[in-house]
Amino acid sequence: MQLKKIAALIALAGLSGSAFATNGYFPHGYGMKAKGMGGVGIAYGQDAMAAATNPANMVLVGNRWDVGVDYFRPQRDTSIVGTPFGFADGKFDGNSSENYFVPEFGYNKMIANNMSLGVSVYGNGGMATDYNRNPFAAYGATGNGGVDLAQLMIAPTWSYKLNENHAIGVSLKIAFQTFEAFGIQPFAPMSSAPTKLTNNDHDSSWGWGIGIGWTGQITPTVKLGATYQSRTKMQELDDYKGLFAEKGGFDIPENYGVGISWQASPQLVIAADITQINFSKVDSVGNSLNPLNLPFPFGTSPQLGTNNGAGFGWDDMTVYKVGFAYDLNKEWTVRAGYNYSSQPIPKSQTFFNILAPATVEDHLTLGATWRLASGGEVTFAYMHAFEETVKGSGSIPPLLGGGNANLKMYEDSFGVAYGVKF
């Protein structure tokens, strides 16, 4: 019966809507307790979502399951300025779709005193924009403009305590993603497959990678941790092989990090992580749009969809997270945190990133857990990503008339989860 419940919850998580995540297109954290602490979790696992950050922490979590949902509301705006005679200038609201629900589920079982098996299911990230007034309309686009990307990760995990102080873990990261682009017809002359560029409904693909981690109790009050997730190789999105480099390739980039947690007092834990996300190593994300400045209508080869085709031009990202958890009493724990990551979009790349304006940098989080008399826990987490603007510089190709696109975004999320130790 329990296996049937787990399968049903996994299927529910697979129905998650897309969202625009906060560290690039990754979320600021995984699991509601971590989300309330700025996303920290490499050296401080708190629930059965721990494998999403560091699989070694699952054996320290013990027997438990957790299920939750995050309500996510990004606000995205674009302005185009400096086009000839102002033919494309204007302000554009990308929030025709703005409410998203992202579920999560984790289960962990001790199969020996020093070994556990579990699974964490979560939204790995995504991006979504929907412009009712299409910013590309002046260039010939019709209908709404935008994209819709959602990524789901299923992470079966083995975790093992080497001794009293050290643990390791391995996760198989099984990924599923869906994608749709619409209203970007003006880029067709730049595409190697114009009929596979836009307005082809949702396409989907599967892929896999590996996550490994270590956690060590270095002193009676200090833990260290380290984690690495390989690049997740995804099947091509065939319906968009004229948009993404490598004929529809859209892999999930490798990421890795280190963390520390300090039991400052019996009631207070302070933790911090530093993680690196290598967006630039995935061609469809990291390749520059600068080749589109070449005179493609006059004999040059197409730039979108080719093996080394243009992308969104994103830089790699280093993310800094710090958070604390304080036990007020036996019933309540409160949390707070801060998350900083320099936004990945260069000023020269803002035009194409009208579709993916991942500009936010500073995130403030709050959270709490209420322990019930029945033994269950209810956890709340709130995140606000402060408004950030990226002003373009030479971002609209001269052959489209020149000018610049300016991007702006802020975000809020509120989540709730229920967990039980058994």
Side-chain angles (χ1 to χ4, degrees), residues 51-356:
T53 304
N54 183 353
N57 286 326
M58 292 290 266
V59 73
L60 307 179
V61 165
N63 297 319
R64 67 174 294 138
W65 60 265
D66 297 89
V67 62
V69 63
D70 219 4
Y71 166 65
F72 189 77
R73 189 173 186 269
Q75 296 295 295
R76 320 68 121 194
D77 295 287
T78 292
S79 61
I80 294 178
V81 298
T83 59
F85 306 104
F87 83 97
D89 289 10
K91 295 183 178 180
F92 306 90
D93 184 330
N95 303 304
S96 292
S97 299
E98 62 181 355
N99 299 306
Y100 304 95
F101 295 89
V102 184
E104 62 183 34
F105 169 73
Y107 177 86
N108 194 56
K109 173 69 175 177
M110 300 296 295
I111 58 174
N113 290 334
N114 61 348
M115 190 183 307
S116 72
L117 289 176
V119 61
S120 300
V121 183
Y122 53 95
N124 183 72
M127 62 178 73
T129 48
D130 189 354
Y131 294 90
N132 185 46
R133 183 187 173 208
N134 194 330
F136 304 117
Y139 303 95
T142 58
N144 285 24
V147 296
D148 184 14
L149 169 71
Q151 292 178 340
L152 170 75
M153 196 74 77
I154 304 171
T157 301
W158 172 84
S159 185
Y160 180 71
K161 290 189 72 172
L162 299 171
N163 53 41
E164 184 178 346
N165 294 321
H166 297 274
I168 58 173
V170 179
S171 294
L172 174 64
K173 300 295 184 83
I174 303 169
F176 176 74
Q177 67 181 359
T178 66
F179 177 80
E180 178 185 19
F182 47 96
I184 58 171
Q185 297 91 343
F187 292 96
M190 311 170 192
S191 173
S192 60
T195 63
K196 300 295 183 180
L197 171 75
T198 186
N199 293 76
N200 289 325
D201 296 322
H202 282 87
D203 195 5
S204 62
S205 66
W206 289 87
W208 68 277
I210 296 292
I212 59 175
W214 160 81
T215 304
Q217 188 80 47
I218 305 304
T219 75
T221 60
V222 175
K223 286 182 183 179
L224 298 179
T227 187
Y228 173 82
Q229 181 174 315
S230 70
R231 177 168 172 163
T232 304
K233 300 291 290 183
M234 304 297 295
Q235 298 169 322
E236 284 78 16
L237 294 161
D238 292 331
D239 289 341
Y240 291 94
K241 65 182 181 182
L243 172 61
F244 291 131
E246 300 177 320
K247 300 177 181 178
F250 201 91
D251 291 346
I252 299 172
E254 68 169 352
N255 54 92
Y256 46 86
V258 294
I260 184 171
S261 66
W262 174 38
Q263 188 78 49
S265 75
Q267 295 80 30
L268 176 63
V269 174
I270 302 172
D273 292 350
I274 301 176
T275 61
Q276 177 77 8
I277 307 172
N278 289 331
F279 288 118
S280 71
K281 304 301 190 294
V282 177
D283 286 354
S284 54
V285 179
N287 281 4
S288 171
L289 272 175
N290 287 338
L292 295 182
N293 289 328
L294 296 173
F296 54 86
F298 304 103
T300 61
S301 60
Q303 299 298 322
L304 290 170
T306 57
N307 284 340
N308 193 32
F312 289 86
W314 282 20
D315 294 329
D316 294 338
M317 175 177 284
T318 303
V319 184
Y320 303 90
K321 309 177 182 182
V322 62
F324 76 82
Y326 186 81
D327 293 330
L328 292 176
N329 49 47
K330 293 181 179 180
E331 287 77 36
W332 285 95
T333 297
V334 295
R335 301 180 180 88
Y338 173 74
N339 176 305
Y340 173 80
S341 55
S342 179
Q343 64 83 26
I345 303 170
K347 294 181 178 180
S348 63
Q349 304 296 304
T350 57
F351 185 58
F352 208 39
N353 278 286
I354 288 172
L355 300 172

